[in-house]
Amino acid sequence: RSSWLLLAPLLSPPVPVITAPPCSLCPEGAHRFQWIRNLVPEFGISSSHVKVLSSPAEFYELLKVQIKAAKQRVVMASLYLGTGLLEQELVYCLEETLEKSLQAKGSPDLRVSILLDYTRGSRGRKNSRTMLIPLLQRFPEQVRVSLFHTPNLRGLLRLLIPERFNETIGLQHIKVYLFDDNVILSGANLSDLYFTNRQDRYVLLRDSPEIADFFTELVDAIGDVSLQLQQDDTVQMMEGMVHPYQGDKVAYCEIANRRVMEVINSARTRQELLHAKTFHSSQPGSSLLSQQGSQAPGSLKPEPDTWIYPLIQMKPFGIQIDEMVTETLLTEAERDARIYLTTGYFNLTQAYMDLILGTRAEYRILLASPEVNGFFGAKGVAGAIPAAYVYIEHQFYSEVCCLQQQERVQLQEYSRAGWTFHAKGLWLYLAGSDLPCLTLIGSPNFGYRSVHRDLEAQVAIVTENKALQQQLHQEQEQLYLCSGVVSTSTFEQPSRYVKLWVKLVTPLIKNFF
């Protein structure tokens, strides 16, 4: 394969830029972030329901335990499902749980919904589709597999771009795994690397039915506008639905926007009514027990000290909520506040870079060293991608130095023998605080792809609870402990040498990886 293939995606039409309206932060406390609920539903929960995981093995074991314990629903959204032994074991767990449900008295209650990306999930002869077809064949009434196909990959472009490279146009990139009322948010895919030696982030939200309902409805909405995998490995659209690459693009995107925004707005309305009910019920003279309805006296929920805000980004459908919230957080971060930002692929949008370089907070940006980049050692043109990231990193570092911001904006490279790095997210420490009060965790990498091309979701977790803040702080510290600070000498190392052709091509293709 030659380097010209990397230029094929340039045939894709440009995406129009829509400027987000300004938001301003409330002045005091963790509730300074309540402005986010003007955009998305706000879910108040107890911090005791939140658990931060730290390792791929812990993530994998939790997935298996949760699948086996599920009674009503398993909903899994990922880029793809791998084809190795560990992934096969996950499929066996699903099969076993579905079989138990089938043998239970009456009609089976368990429903399994899996959302993957069409191009990534169809790559190769053995792929995500062939892994899941046995479940569809055995449990046709209980299992749904949806394959999202970006509307931007169509016509001549779809015919010309070869497999693997067609993924640069746009993907289903959301990673949400939920089991009954338990939700795992992560940036990790369902693949053996992410279960063994690929470092990511993971948070479990336990006994959170409203949050589980929201993400179930979100995955259902995207599933409805996706191709449905059939038992014979063919795909078809739901009846009456516009086809993503054969039908009218504008009509398809409008339907998709409407379906997703219905989920967001209906959940917002439900949560606002719940807030109003809780507020009125807590007024003098009202009974807290009556507010709980028929719940048993021992089952009263503790007062929420933690708030979850789902942030959705689907630029192909005109949905830019995550971008708006992230830009506002970067814009409004005060002097002496600290932001720890990490990404497996350092390729920030120009807007994010400008905000980091032009605002007052301190930044500690963690990124992958070339050796722990997921593309390190890849065959063909893909093997040059780590060098392209080094070039982008060097350009940004040079700009930091030119502005004399090295003390305020610090780059750190994650390095760990035998591992790759895929963690992404943000931790916000208010001025004078040693613990973070907010974190962003989910699928976005803060790059052009995340903002403009792919379907993304993450959550903002805001907490007043010191124990949870400590968990988040330890997570951040554990990741940053495996890193070294970037300096001018970093780019003088032989491993940081970037070939001339990579330097020339990178500005042309940086928006596609």
Side-chain angles (χ1 to χ4, degrees), residues 329-330 333 337-341 361-364 426-429:
L329 289 172
L330 298 181
R338 283 174 296 136
I339 291 179
Y340 288 79
L341 186 150
E362 292 181 17
Y363 285 87
R364 300 291 178 263
L426 176 154
W427 298 259
L428 173 60
Y429 294 68

Side-chain angles (χ1 to χ4, degrees), residues 208-453:
S208 303
E210 293 92 353
I211 300 173
D213 288 347
F214 173 84
F215 280 107
T216 298
E217 291 170 16
L218 179 69
V219 171
D220 281 347
I222 302 167
D224 288 349
V225 299
S226 299
L227 295 154
Q228 306 301 304
L229 183 63
Q230 305 299 305
Q231 296 178 28
D232 60 355
D233 198 19
T234 60
V235 293
Q236 62 185 46
M237 290 300 290
M238 288 175 57
E239 192 174 344
M241 188 61 65
V242 178
H243 199 282
Y245 63 86
Q246 293 175 351
D248 182 78
K249 181 180 174 181
V250 172
Y252 173 81
C253 291
E254 283 177 354
I255 290 169
N257 173 286
R258 192 159 59 246
R259 286 287 288 111
V260 172
M261 289 309 299
E262 277 172 4
V263 172
I264 294 169
N265 291 330
S266 63
R268 254 190 82 211
T269 302
R270 284 199 304 268
Q271 292 308 112
E272 284 171 359
L273 289 171
L274 185 63
H275 293 154
K277 182 182 174 185
T278 305
F279 175 78
H280 290 306
S281 299
S282 62
Q283 295 305 297
S286 66
S287 166
L288 187 60
L289 280 175
S290 65
Q291 172 199 337
Q292 301 295 328
S294 59
Q295 286 189 3
S299 64
L300 294 181
K301 288 185 178 180
E303 280 291 306
D305 57 7
T306 299
W307 295 269
I308 309 295
Y309 302 94
L311 309 179
I312 311 303
Q313 184 75 11
M314 299 178 182
K315 191 70 168 282
F317 304 155
I319 299 170
Q320 299 167 245
I321 296 168
D322 180 62
E323 179 186 5
M324 290 168 64
V325 171
T326 302
E327 286 189 1
T328 303
L329 289 172
L330 298 181
T331 301
E332 300 291 343
E334 61 204 9
R335 188 181 299 278
D336 297 326
R338 283 174 296 136
I339 291 179
Y340 288 79
L341 186 150
T342 177
T343 173
Y345 304 109
F346 183 74
N347 187 15
L348 302 179
T349 66
Q350 191 61 50
Y352 290 164
M353 283 195 290
D354 290 345
L355 287 170
I356 290 168
L357 294 172
T359 50
R360 300 162 295 179
E362 292 181 17
Y363 285 87
R364 300 291 178 263
I365 302 173
L366 182 63
L367 49 111
S369 66
E371 297 78 18
V372 300
N373 186 294
F375 290 96
F376 186 74
K379 294 178 182 178
V381 175
I385 289 178
Y389 282 116
V390 168
Y391 182 59
I392 294 167
E393 175 191 353
H394 194 181
Q395 285 185 309
F396 180 75
Y397 179 75
S398 297
E399 198 166 349
V400 171
C401 293
C402 184
L403 296 170
Q404 298 183 324
Q405 299 286 314
Q406 301 97 305
E407 291 300 312
R408 190 180 65 81
V409 181
Q410 193 174 93
L411 297 181
Q412 295 177 230
E413 286 187 353
Y414 185 95
S415 184
R416 188 176 179 185
W419 284 63
T420 54
F421 184 68
H422 196 249
K424 68 277 301 246
L426 176 154
W427 298 259
L428 173 60
Y429 294 68
L430 297 177
S433 176
D434 294 327
L435 297 173
C437 64
L438 175 146
T439 191
L440 301 182
I441 179 169
S443 63
N445 277 298
F446 305 104
Y448 187 95
R449 284 194 61 103
S450 291
V451 171
H452 294 275
R453 298 191 176 278

